[in-house]
Amino acid sequence: MGTNDMKKKIAVFTTGWCGEILSEYLTGMMNTFEQGTVDIFLFLCFPTYIDGNESKIGEMNIFNLPDLKDFDGAVIFGSGLNFQDQIDMIIKRSEAAGIPVLMQGQRDDKAYFIGSDNYVATIDMCKHLEEEHDAKKIVFLAGTIDSMDSEQRLQAIKDYLAEKNRSEDLLDVCYTKWENAVATRYINDYCRKGKPLPDVFICANDGLAMETVITLNNNGYNVPKDVLVCGFDYLDGSQIFDPSIASVDQCFTQMGEACGKLWSHLNRGEECDKSVIIPCRFIPGESCNCYSRDSDKIRRRVGREAFTKRSSTTYFNRKLNIIDSTVLSCVTYDEFKESLHNLFVEDHHYEGDSFHVLLEPNFGLSIYNPNITLNNHGYSHYMEVLYSAEDGELYDREQFETRKLIPGYSGNGDNHLYVFLPLHESDSAFGYIVFRDFMEDVNNHLIMTYQNRMSLVFDKFKRALSLDLINKRLLEIMKRDPLTNVNNRRAFEDKQKHLQSLINSGTDKNFAIAMFDVNNLKLVNDSMGHDAGDDYLIRACKLICNVFKHSPVYRIGGDEFVAILSGEDYDNRKELLNKLNSLMSPYSDKAPLPSDYISVACGISEYIYSRDCSIVDIIKRADEKMYEVKAEMKGHKQNS
């Protein structure tokens, strides 16, 4: 068993699609534990059979998060987890950790089994349908072929009909993979072909049963007048449905209690049976043409709760919208972390006083470097703490050891349920979030909506910021001269527009335009080759940049450069021009030129606030002065 000296910890693995029965099961488990003795860590995700493989990997990666050596038992809720590879992996890891595995809904030789007697309850259903309603011909809408519960129900139907010598009355079996859309397509096709309806559609769960009623109604058939429908699970939602669904109550709360008691016996080192079976009961409903007073009671209760749920759902959706707008308004990763952290500090009414958002350390790095990949199997050794509060106490460190799972967790106090959900896009792990004691939101799938929206907005932010950075880098490349690595003509044109906007707005800003022309580039190219000419341009550019070191420099032509002088360079422009001239080689137009030869003509023109209306005028004046200087340099050489 586990070796920690805190409360015992049990890891539960499943998907959240069967939220209502899962919450009943977990409630039953927790009812069996004395206060202050056990915490349940629920590793929850929402993959579907129709998802792509990468999306499934991203969702079920949360099962890789816990180190089972730190736990005292593992529970697999098989009614929600029908992915055999994941079940095998959990059992293998549990065996390596030396902790017992308790399974609901499926059997494995290496695990203890807690199940319900679907078989007997399904026989009771068939008897009721035949004896009370003369319903004999059956179509069964199954789950998956590897679901023990679904196959047990199908086998019970087959055995019942075989005993009555009516095996042919099982007209068809449709495997839906638990997808309502499959049931819809099947029934639409069934009706379109004009096939006679069976007496009853028996569905492997209540969700399929309700979808069957709706689809039959859309095809002009009334339930129960034209055909009967039955389901399994006896969900509240199926009982307030019209008509209420005749269903098998699998007694998930009692199963959870049996699981908790079995684990307690094992924790004390007691010998236990490998299998515990809880009896089920078939409960007739309006969908099999039986009146149900229990359904009326549930409808009244749900009606009373509707206003409160509507108010909480409105707040919940508003909170998600605030998270979206907060994240998508950020322009850097640091701003993203700070803004979202502050949002949760100021408003965590929905999330409660124990809530955690942990990010992969490479999440932020991957925004700025596309070559950095994110984990798709397991999580990093350390996580970044975006926000973490346990019992209202903020965790104030930036990193957290992933194996500990929950920052600030002490293992003291009342028993708690911690719910872990993955943050990801496709198979790339962004991190995970942790809620505490969110049983009701496990039930109604709000927690799934929260996880999905959080993952989606994180992905949108990551993509938007990455794209923005790529665009900026492309623009930088587009505006950079590849030879000298200073700004190019395109960049100067943008700068011209900016300066013109300042002039248009009447801004009294001191700046000057310095135009440069590199002398004798053609002579160098003709006498020494273009490589030497390139080296000459680079030397000349470096000289300009070193003198006017506080000003942006642009190469706007083969041998032409521009600098925008402001601040210190503007104030010292005359001294800097003298410095430039002093550092140049004496002008010469005779080959060969020295290897370190540099000669540049420069003209500077200032922006005159009271006169200049166009940046073009300033550039023209600087250009004219530059050509005057160039002519003087040539004339001086000729006179000498």
Side-chain angles (χ1 to χ4, degrees):
M1 301 294 175
T3 59
N4 64 72
D5 56 0
M6 300 183 290
K7 281 186 291 189
K8 301 296 183 182
K9 298 192 297 186
I10 300 175
V12 178
F13 301 90
T14 192
T15 70
W17 294 114
C18 49
E20 186 174 324
I21 59 176
L22 172 61
S23 62
E24 290 176 9
Y25 191 85
L26 294 171
T27 298
M29 279 184 65
M30 297 191 77
N31 286 344
T32 65
F33 304 136
E34 295 180 8
Q35 276 301 332
T37 60
V38 178
D39 282 335
I40 293 178
F41 288 58
L42 172 62
F43 299 93
L44 192 67
C45 54
F46 293 86
T48 68
Y49 288 97
I50 61 174
D51 286 342
N53 189 55
E54 290 182 346
S55 180
K56 292 176 185 175
I57 290 171
E59 281 289 314
M60 291 188 285
N61 189 38
I62 197 68
F63 298 153
N64 297 313
L65 176 63
D67 187 332
L68 294 182
K69 294 184 179 70
D70 298 328
F71 285 83
D72 302 280
V75 173
I76 299 172
F77 187 72
S79 288
L81 185 56
N82 291 305
F83 296 90
Q84 191 58 49
D85 60 330
Q86 296 296 319
I87 292 172
D88 293 342
M89 179 268 294
I90 294 166
I91 292 174
K92 183 178 180 180
R93 288 169 52 206
S94 301
E95 189 176 25
I99 61 173
V101 182
L102 294 80
M103 285 187 66
Q104 177 276 338
Q106 294 199 47
R107 291 182 182 272
D108 190 283
D109 292 341
K110 298 178 181 179
Y112 292 87
F113 175 72
I114 301 97
S116 56
D117 195 346
N118 279 272
Y119 186 90
V120 172
T122 305
I123 295 291
D124 291 341
M125 174 192 290
C126 292
K127 286 182 180 178
H128 173 85
L129 292 170
E130 181 178 7
E131 294 172 3
E132 298 295 327
H133 306 292
D134 196 30
K136 298 177 179 178
K137 297 186 181 298
I138 299 169
V139 168
F140 184 61
L141 300 184
T144 59
I145 199 166
D146 56 353
S147 167
M148 190 187 79
D149 282 349
S150 178
E151 289 299 283
Q152 189 181 63
R153 295 159 192 170
L154 175 58
Q155 190 60 51
I157 293 169
K158 290 179 176 178
D159 290 349
Y160 177 82
L161 294 176
E163 185 178 345
K164 299 284 186 177
N165 294 316
R166 293 192 291 105
S167 295
E168 69 278 4
D169 282 345
L170 179 58
L171 304 182
D172 198 10
V173 176
C174 170
Y175 284 95
T176 65
K177 295 186 176 180
W178 307 110
E179 294 289 340
N180 287 348
V182 176
T184 298
R185 289 194 296 270
Y186 175 82
I187 293 170
N188 283 337
D189 185 62
Y190 196 102
C191 295
R192 185 172 56 252
K193 291 178 178 178
K195 297 164 68 173
L197 290 177
D199 297 323
V200 58
F201 286 96
I202 298 179
C203 305
N205 67 21
D206 285 347
L208 293 170
M210 289 184 280
E211 186 69 22
T212 297
V213 172
I214 292 170
T215 308
L216 286 167
N217 183 257
N218 291 340
N219 281 278
Y221 295 105
N222 176 270
V223 177
K225 181 180 178 182
D226 298 318
V227 60
L228 308 183
V229 173
C230 293
F232 287 82
D233 294 340
Y234 195 63
L235 302 178
D236 277 3
S238 73
Q239 297 311 299
I240 64 172
F241 188 74
D242 182 24
S244 64
I245 301 299
S247 185
V248 170
D249 183 357
Q250 295 194 78
C251 305
F252 283 98
T253 302
Q254 290 85 344
M255 265 195 281
E257 290 173 348
C259 179
K261 290 175 182 177
L262 177 57
W263 175 84
S264 296
H265 290 308
L266 294 170
N267 187 61
R268 292 193 293 266
E270 300 172 5
E271 291 292 327
C272 299
D273 291 336
K274 292 288 287 187
S275 178
V276 178
I277 303 298
I278 303 298
C280 297
R281 59 191 183 112
F282 170 68
I283 302 175
E286 293 162 359
S287 68
C288 75
N289 212 17
C290 291
Y291 174 72
S292 172
R293 187 175 298 276
D294 287 343
S295 295
D296 286 344
K297 292 179 181 178
I298 296 172
R299 285 171 179 146
R300 286 195 293 272
R301 173 171 61 78
V302 172
R304 286 196 302 270
E305 296 170 352
F307 174 77
T308 302
K309 286 187 176 180
R310 185 167 63 249
S311 299
S312 62
T313 301
T314 299
Y315 172 81
F316 171 75
N317 289 328
R318 178 176 175 272
K319 180 60 180 288
L320 292 181
N321 291 336
I322 292 172
I323 291 174
D324 285 356
S325 60
T326 298
V327 170
L328 296 179
S329 66
C330 297
V331 295
T332 67
Y333 181 61
D334 287 340
E335 183 186 0
F336 157 78
K337 290 194 297 182
E338 181 180 4
S339 297
L340 202 51
H341 174 85
N342 291 340
L343 172 64
F344 289 129
V345 169
E346 294 168 6
D347 177 14
H348 49 265
H349 173 75
Y350 173 77
E351 294 83 2
D353 287 337
S354 295
F355 174 66
H356 312 268
V357 183
L358 290 307
L359 292 180
E360 278 287 322
N362 280 347
F363 176 71
L365 296 178
S366 67
I367 293 174
Y368 297 94
N369 187 341
N371 295 318
I372 294 175
T373 58
L374 294 166
N375 286 332
N376 59 15
H377 182 81
Y379 294 82
S380 297
H381 187 54
Y382 284 90
M383 304 296 285
E384 274 193 55
V385 180
L386 189 147
Y387 174 84
S388 176
E390 183 72 1
D391 291 319
E393 292 291 326
L394 286 174
Y395 189 82
D396 58 1
R397 301 175 194 170
E398 293 184 0
Q399 283 192 327
F400 171 73
E401 187 179 358
T402 309
R403 177 172 176 168
K404 295 179 181 178
L405 298 178
I406 304 171
Y409 175 76
S410 65
N412 298 321
D414 294 338
N415 296 344
H416 292 296
L417 168 69
Y418 291 93
V419 185
F420 296 76
L421 298 116
L423 296 174
H424 71 101
E425 193 283 322
S426 189
D427 62 349
S428 297
F430 294 168
Y432 63 92
I433 53 178
V434 188
F435 291 93
R436 192 176 83 176
D437 299 333
F438 261 53
M439 192 74 79
E440 178 60 28
D441 288 342
V442 170
N443 181 346
N444 59 27
H445 288 177
L446 285 182
I447 205 167
M448 176 197 71
T449 304
Y450 193 103
Q451 172 225 5
N452 282 345
R453 283 283 290 275
M454 186 82 85
S455 291
L456 180 62
V457 73
F458 280 21
D459 182 51
K460 282 183 177 179
F461 167 76
K462 181 176 181 292
R463 289 177 184 271
L465 191 54
S466 296
L467 184 61
D468 183 58
L469 289 168
I470 290 171
N471 287 337
K472 286 178 179 177
R473 286 168 183 162
L474 288 173
L475 286 173
E476 185 177 335
I477 292 170
M478 291 172 62
K479 295 181 179 181
R480 185 69 54 178
D481 176 53
L483 177 65
T484 62
N485 204 36
V486 296
N487 302 301
N488 64 12
R489 174 175 284 278
R490 182 189 293 271
F492 180 61
E493 289 171 353
D494 287 347
K495 187 65 175 180
Q496 277 185 262
K497 294 172 184 175
H498 172 68
L499 292 172
Q500 185 62 53
S501 72
L502 295 178
I503 295 172
N504 293 343
S505 62
T507 302
D508 188 5
K509 178 179 175 62
N510 291 329
F511 71 89
I513 303 292
M515 300 290 293
F516 305 90
D517 188 90
V518 179
N519 295 320
N520 297 322
L521 176 61
K522 185 176 185 304
L523 177 62
V524 174
N525 284 333
D526 291 346
S527 62
M528 303 173 66
H530 285 278
D531 287 345
D534 288 347
D535 290 340
Y536 178 35
L537 283 172
I538 292 170
R539 291 199 308 277
C541 181
K542 283 183 178 178
L543 175 62
I544 295 169
C545 291
N546 288 336
V547 172
F548 298 96
K549 61 180 61 177
H550 302 296
S551 303
V553 176
Y554 306 81
R555 184 186 178 198
I556 61 172
D559 55 4
E560 294 179 310
F561 294 84
V562 179
I564 310 298
L565 310 184
S566 61
E568 186 178 334
D569 282 1
Y570 175 85
D571 296 337
N572 301 318
R573 58 193 180 279
K574 292 182 180 179
E575 292 84 351
L576 293 175
L577 180 57
N578 291 334
K579 181 180 179 181
L580 176 73
N581 292 330
S582 69
L583 294 173
M584 287 192 296
S585 307
Y587 180 84
S588 174
D589 56 7
K590 299 285 177 68
L593 294 170
S595 61
D596 60 349
Y597 177 79
I598 302 175
S599 179
V600 178
C602 175
I604 298 176
S605 177
E606 298 82 8
Y607 164 53
I608 303 172
Y609 174 70
S610 61
R611 189 180 75 181
D612 288 322
C613 297
S614 171
I615 186 66
V616 174
D617 293 340
I618 308 170
I619 295 170
K620 184 178 179 181
R621 289 201 305 268
D623 202 44
E624 290 171 350
K625 288 184 180 181
M626 182 268 292
Y627 277 109
E628 289 175 5
V629 171
K630 193 176 187 74
E632 288 177 6
M633 296 173 78
K634 289 182 178 180
H636 178 74
K637 172 65 179 175
Q638 290 170 357
N639 293 333
S640 63

